[in-house]
Amino acid sequence: MKRILLSSLVLGAVAVSASAQDRIFNNPDNKAYFGLRVAGEITCPGDFTYEGIGVDAYKNGGGIEFGGIYNLPVVANFYIEPGLKLYYNTYSANKSLGGGFDFGDSFDSLSMRKFGLRIPVMAGYHFDFTDNVKVSVFTGPELEFGLSAKEHLKKGSYSVSESVYGEPGGMNRVDLSWGFGAGVTYRKIYIGVSGTVGMLNMLKDGEGLKFHENRASITLGYNF
C-alpha cells in the first residue's frame, strides 16, 4: 500500500512538472488581448554618409511615444502584435549645418522637432515561467509617417521654425524601420526595452547622400 501511494505521489509530481514545463513554451490559456503602451525614447540619428564617408550632423535626443497594441496568439506561445502609436521626439543639430536658415553658425541652438504616427507589426514568442510572469522576445517591421517635422533655430530672444517636409524641405515623411526587443509581463503590467534601425534614406534628392534614423526605447504598459 505504501509503495502504491509513493508511486502515485511521484507520478503526480512528474506530471505537474511536465505540465509546468509545457506551459513555458505552449500555454493552453493563451488568448488575444489589447494593451496600452507609453515609452520614453532616445532618438539616435545617424551620420550623413556619402560613398562610405560619414559626417556627424545630429546629436542624440529624447522623445515620448503613446498608443496601443493587439496581441494575437498564433501557435503555442508564438504571437503577432500589431500596434498604432503617436510619437513626439527631438534632437539637436551641429551648428556647422546651419539648417535651412541663413545664419551660418552664428546662432545659439538648432534642433529638429518631429511628431507623427507609427504602425509596428511585431512577431514574438513568450516564455510563461509562472501564471503571473512571462518573458517575451520580438522583432518585426515598423512603418512611420511624419505629420510634422520642423527645424527650430534660436538666436538670443529670436526663434524661428521651418518645416523639413513638403516642397521647401529636404526630408521624407515616410520611414520603414526594423524593430527588436524583449519584455517582462507581471500579471497585467508590462515593461520592455527595444530598439529600431531605420532602413530608408530620409533625405530627398540627396544625390548619393544618405541619412537614417534609429532609436532605443523603454516601455511601460497595461494589458486588458
Side-chain angles (χ1 to χ4, degrees), residues 120-203:
V121 182
M122 297 293 114
Y125 206 93
H126 57 84
F127 304 90
D128 299 6
F129 294 102
T130 72
D131 290 338
N132 295 324
V133 178
K134 301 179 181 180
V135 176
S136 58
V137 291
F138 53 86
T139 188
E142 178 182 84
L143 181 65
E144 180 176 306
F145 184 79
L147 300 176
S148 173
K150 295 181 178 181
E151 283 185 326
H152 182 80
L153 180 144
K154 184 176 182 181
K155 179 178 174 62
S157 60
Y158 176 78
S159 63
V160 61
S161 295
E162 182 175 274
S163 177
V164 300
Y165 293 151
E167 289 299 326
M171 286 195 177
N172 294 309
R173 289 181 180 271
V174 178
D175 193 11
L176 181 64
S177 300
W178 193 265
F180 52 90
V184 177
T185 301
Y186 176 70
R187 295 186 178 178
K188 293 183 177 295
I189 303 299
Y190 170 85
I191 299 175
V193 292
S194 61
T196 59
V197 177
M199 297 189 293
L200 300 184
N201 182 14
M202 297 305 293
L203 297 180

Side-chain angles (χ1 to χ4, degrees), residues 60-73:
N60 292 350
I64 189 169
E65 177 187 78
F66 176 80
I69 57 91
Y70 181 68
N71 188 287
L72 180 64

Side-chain angles (χ1 to χ4, degrees), residues 12-224:
V14 170
V16 170
S17 177
S19 176
Q21 290 181 7
D22 287 344
R23 289 173 66 88
I24 293 178
F25 303 101
N26 186 7
N27 191 338
D29 296 328
N30 286 329
K31 60 181 181 180
Y33 61 84
F34 288 97
L36 292 177
R37 299 289 186 265
V38 61
E41 60 186 43
I42 300 174
T43 53
C44 307
D47 292 347
F48 280 11
T49 61
Y50 180 77
E51 295 184 351
I53 300 175
V55 176
D56 186 15
Y58 294 105
K59 301 177 182 178
N60 292 350
I64 189 169
E65 177 187 78
F66 176 80
I69 57 91
Y70 181 68
N71 188 287
L72 180 64
V74 178
V75 61
N77 287 354
F78 176 75
Y79 64 88
I80 299 294
E81 187 176 274
L84 182 62
K85 302 176 182 180
L86 293 172
Y87 71 89
Y88 176 79
N89 61 40
T90 66
Y91 49 83
S92 61
N94 290 330
K95 288 188 175 183
S96 59
L97 281 182
F101 307 98
D102 298 324
F103 287 87
D105 60 358
S106 61
F107 54 86
D108 298 327
S109 65
L110 177 64
S111 62
M112 184 73 73
R113 302 178 181 183
K114 304 185 72 175
F115 170 74
L117 184 71
R118 292 174 180 151
I119 305 175
V121 182
M122 297 293 114
Y125 206 93
H126 57 84
F127 304 90
D128 299 6
F129 294 102
T130 72
D131 290 338
N132 295 324
V133 178
K134 301 179 181 180
V135 176
S136 58
V137 291
F138 53 86
T139 188
E142 178 182 84
L143 181 65
E144 180 176 306
F145 184 79
L147 300 176
S148 173
K150 295 181 178 181
E151 283 185 326
H152 182 80
L153 180 144
K154 184 176 182 181
K155 179 178 174 62
S157 60
Y158 176 78
S159 63
V160 61
S161 295
E162 182 175 274
S163 177
V164 300
Y165 293 151
E167 289 299 326
M171 286 195 177
N172 294 309
R173 289 181 180 271
V174 178
D175 193 11
L176 181 64
S177 300
W178 193 265
F180 52 90
V184 177
T185 301
Y186 176 70
R187 295 186 178 178
K188 293 183 177 295
I189 303 299
Y190 170 85
I191 299 175
V193 292
S194 61
T196 59
V197 177
M199 297 189 293
L200 300 184
N201 182 14
M202 297 305 293
L203 297 180
K204 293 190 297 186
D205 303 324
E207 297 182 353
L209 192 64
K210 297 181 180 180
F211 170 67
H212 297 84
E213 294 181 329
N214 313 302
R215 75 177 188 278
S217 304
I218 299 177
T219 302
L220 179 64
Y222 184 86
N223 300 326
F224 293 96

